[in-house]
Amino acid sequence: MNTDCLFCKILAGEIPANRVYEDEYSIAFPDINPQAPTHFLIVPKEHLASQAKALVEHEQLLGHLLVVAANLARSRKLDKGYRVVINTGEDGGQTVHHLHVHLLGGRPMHWPPG
Ligand code: AMP
Ligand code: ZN
C-alpha cells in the first residue's frame, strides 16, 4: 500500500466506495464524477502507478482488468458498446497515480477523444 494514494486508501477501506465487484486481484466501483450513464473504475489491488510502469510481469494482471471490464459491461447490459480507457501520465490526463481502467457506457462516444 502506498499511503499517499487515493485508490490504496479505498482498497484499505479508509475511504468509502461502493464495490460493485471484487476478486483477489481487483475491485470495481463507480466513478465519483461520472462521464457517462455507466462509469466504473476497475482498480488492481497491487499499487502500480500507471500504465507507463507496466512490465512483462504485469501481463496477467492487466489482462485480468480487461476481462473484469468485459464482465461488468455484460452484467450492466452495455450491449450497444462501451469504451475502456486508461489515462496515462500528464498528457494522458491521469489524475490518480494508481493504474485504473475506466469503463464508460450508456451513451455514444466520440472520436477523437478530448
Ligand atoms: P484519471 O483521471 O484517469 O486518473 O481518473 C481518476 C478518476 O478517479 C476520476 O475520473 C475521478 O472522478 C475518480 N475519483 C476520484 N476520487 C474518487 C473517489 N473517492 N471515488 C470514486 N472515484 C473517484
Ligand atoms: Zn495505490
Side-chain angles (χ1 to χ4, degrees):
M1 157 147 182
N2 179 333
T3 48
D4 294 331
C5 170
L6 176 69
F7 289 168
C8 282
K9 286 180 182 161
I10 286 178
L11 283 160
E14 290 172 16
I15 292 175
N18 175 20
R19 297 181 189 214
V20 296
Y21 177 78
E22 178 163 13
D23 64 30
E24 191 180 345
Y25 306 106
S26 66
I27 64 171
F29 51 87
D31 195 293
I32 205 168
N33 183 22
Q35 301 301 312
T38 300
H39 187 174
F40 293 118
L41 300 174
I42 299 127
V43 176
K45 289 188 172 177
E46 176 185 340
H47 178 92
L48 179 62
S50 100
Q51 161 71 13
K53 303 278 187 199
L55 300 170
V56 71
E57 70 204 54
H58 302 116
E59 257 179 22
Q60 213 172 338
L61 179 61
L62 294 175
H64 181 75
L65 300 177
L66 293 183
V67 174
V68 170
N71 285 336
L72 257 178
R74 280 188 287 265
S75 76
R76 300 293 159 149
K77 307 274 185 260
L78 298 179
D79 302 331
K80 290 178 77 179
Y82 54 88
R83 187 167 289 174
V84 163
V85 173
I86 303 176
N87 294 325
T88 305
E90 192 182 344
D91 277 3
Q94 185 177 5
T95 59
V96 176
H97 298 281
H98 178 133
L99 185 141
H100 51 282
V101 173
H102 294 259
L103 171 65
L104 299 137
R107 67 166 172 84
M109 302 290 157
H110 304 290
W111 196 265

